[in-house]
């Protein structure tokens, strides 16, 4: 597993510093995973599939991707649309709130820019957010393209990442989530997302739901409570060392996914991969924002 395609949207992130000051960076769930995956395992070829604009902000993001050594051959440039954007506001009690401007972004049209089949790859990673930002026509196109990729031997990795605001209704979201679970070889899902979308009350309810599909590896993340890893033949509970001082949990799950895939890509077994992934996530929640400063080295694989 050397060649990986990660599909989704990277947005401009604006964080309120004070009444008149905003700090700008770039982030998005699958993009965070792409950056951390490449940082964890530089030998892997990580390509990001998305659409961005042709404006200055998009150029900046493009250069950032290159700096992070991501493959940019699948980054489509729209002449008329721009990057999505979100703002993070922290109130007096430390509670964060997010406001999004993304419905018209270039990335919402990505599949319309992909001519013909997707290029062959060992692993294709997407999340519920990657699917949620598309219209139904593009969702069907994506299913067809992934079906063809799978027939050519590609493994599909899916993280539910449920965001209710991006869906018409929970029913609609469930239909599509199950469609992608049905194609997934590896599921990397969070307990909170399953609780919100399917009203699952426990890990065992999640496992029962996932057992309807033929997923080879189910990795169920439950914050500091640990991780459950299920393969077709075995099941493990992997404890997670609680982080005492959590600075910002943004991108915890994304970083975990990156650590897991990096370790699996380098031949680790699922349990060792989950242990390493938890270390990467623990590191990331010790810093503010989605992406840690590049000079801060991630835990070694
Ligand atoms: P998601 O962000 O996808 O909902 P989680 O909240 O389960 O997923 O967090 C992802 C991973 O981050 C967890 O599996 C765990 O390894 C790590 N993590 C999250 N919160 C903590 C914490 N308080 N202490 C230690 N690790 C944590």
């Amino acid at each position: 597993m050397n060649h990986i395609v990660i599909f989704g949207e990277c947005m401009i992130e604006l964080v309120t510093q004070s009444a008149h000051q905003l700090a700008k960076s770039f982030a998005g769930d699958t993009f965070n995973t792409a950056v951390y995956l490449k940082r964890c395992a530089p030998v892997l070829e990580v390509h990001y599939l998305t659409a961005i604009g042709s404006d200055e902000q998009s150029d900046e993001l493009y250069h950032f991707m290159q700096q992070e050594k991501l493959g940019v051959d699948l980054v489509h440039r729209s002449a008329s649309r721009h990057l999505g954007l979100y703002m993070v506001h922290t109130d007096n009690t430390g509670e964060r709130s997010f406001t999004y401007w993304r419905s018209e972004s270039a990335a919402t049209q990505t599949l319309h820019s992909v001519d013909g089949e997707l290029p062959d790859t060992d692993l294709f990673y997407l999340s519920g957010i990657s699917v949620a930002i598309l219209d139904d026509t593009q969702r069907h196109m994506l299913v067809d393209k992934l079906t063809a990729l799978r027939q050519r031997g590609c493994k599909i990795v899916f993280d539910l990442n449920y965001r209710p605001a991006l869906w018409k209704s929970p029913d609609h979201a469930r239909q599509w989530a199950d469609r992608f679970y049905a194609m997934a070889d590896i599921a990397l899902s969070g307990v909170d997302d399953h609780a919100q979308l399917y009203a699952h009350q426990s890990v065992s309810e999640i496992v029962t739901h996932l057992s309807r599909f033929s997923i080879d590896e189910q990795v169920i993340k439950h914050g500091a409570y640990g991780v459950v890893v299920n393969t077709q033949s075995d099941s493990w509970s992997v404890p997670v060392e609680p982080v005492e001082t959590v600075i910002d949990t943004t991108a915890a799950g994304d970083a975990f996914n990156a650590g897991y895939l990096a370790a699996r890509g380098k031949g680790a077994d699922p349990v060792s991969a989950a242990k390493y992934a938890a270390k990467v996530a623990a590191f990331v929640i010790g810093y503010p924002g989605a992406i840690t400063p590049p000079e801060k080295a991630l835990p070694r694989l």
Side-chain angles (χ1 to χ4, degrees):
M1 179 189 105
N2 277 323
H3 189 283
I4 297 164
V5 172
I6 297 193
F7 168 53
E9 174 172 31
C10 181
M11 291 165 285
I12 299 172
E13 180 193 60
L14 296 177
V15 180
T16 311
Q17 306 285 79
S18 65
H20 300 290
Q21 252 191 331
L22 294 167
K24 186 185 88 177
S25 47
F26 297 105
D29 69 328
T30 52
F31 182 72
N32 307 335
T33 299
V35 168
Y36 287 128
L37 177 54
K38 184 66 185 178
R39 287 189 190 175
C40 287
V43 295
L44 301 179
E45 257 192 74
V46 182
H47 299 254
Y48 198 58
L49 167 62
T50 192
I52 63 176
S54 303
D55 51 287
E56 269 179 27
Q57 296 301 320
S58 298
D59 283 348
E60 235 182 81
L61 169 59
Y62 194 82
H63 291 135
F64 182 51
M65 290 176 179
Q66 288 178 314
Q67 265 168 23
E68 292 291 338
K69 304 199 168 41
L70 298 178
V72 291
D73 50 315
L74 301 175
V75 176
H76 298 272
R77 309 288 308 248
S78 162
S80 55
R81 291 179 181 253
H82 310 287
L83 297 179
L85 178 153
Y86 72 99
M87 268 178 79
V88 188
H89 176 73
T90 309
D91 71 14
N92 300 337
T93 65
E95 195 63 35
R96 284 172 305 131
S97 60
F98 298 82
T99 312
Y100 291 88
W101 292 264
R102 77 191 307 181
S103 59
E104 297 293 317
S105 73
T108 63
Q109 305 298 313
T110 303
L111 266 290
H112 289 306
S113 311
V114 177
D115 269 339
E117 294 298 336
L118 288 165
D120 272 342
T121 181
D122 300 321
L123 204 118
F124 188 99
Y125 174 97
L126 78 167
S127 77
I129 298 177
S130 320
V131 178
I133 63 166
L134 306 174
D135 51 45
D136 272 355
T137 307
Q138 290 183 86
R139 290 177 187 135
H140 285 292
M141 290 162 83
L142 183 60
V143 168
D144 290 346
K145 288 185 197 304
L146 295 193
T147 304
L149 270 187
R150 276 194 100 196
Q151 281 164 357
R152 302 200 301 270
C154 169
K155 302 272 184 217
I156 310 291
V157 186
F158 181 61
D159 180 346
L160 178 62
N161 264 352
Y162 175 51
R163 297 294 180 273
L166 295 174
W167 291 98
K168 249 180 1 208
S169 67
D171 248 349
H172 192 222
R174 271 190 294 271
Q175 278 168 24
W176 281 105
D178 284 346
R179 195 93 191 250
F180 284 91
Y181 269 140
M183 275 196 291
D185 299 283
I186 302 178
L188 294 164
S189 291
V191 165
D192 293 348
D193 291 317
H194 269 265
Q196 237 190 325
L197 181 59
Y198 297 98
H200 291 151
Q201 306 289 321
S202 63
V203 170
S204 68
E205 285 188 28
I206 299 173
V207 172
T208 304
H209 182 80
L210 296 183
S211 66
R212 294 165 45 195
F213 312 103
S214 56
I215 301 169
D216 290 335
E217 279 170 54
Q218 306 170 359
V219 183
I220 301 163
K221 299 165 279 180
H222 195 191
Y225 297 104
V227 183
V228 170
V229 180
N230 288 338
T231 60
Q232 299 285 10
S233 53
D234 287 297
S235 176
W236 300 270
S237 271
V238 182
V240 162
E241 209 169 300
V243 170
E244 298 213 340
T245 319
V246 175
I247 304 293
D248 182 352
T249 56
T250 304
D254 311 332
F256 179 98
N257 296 352
Y260 187 83
L261 296 176
R264 293 290 284 134
K266 290 187 81 181
D269 61 75
V271 171
S272 309
K275 286 181 183 162
Y276 173 68
K279 281 192 209 162
V280 176
F283 176 84
V284 167
I285 64 181
Y287 287 90
I291 295 182
T292 54
E295 66 278 9
K296 304 285 178 195
L298 292 171
R300 276 176 71 90
L301 185 53

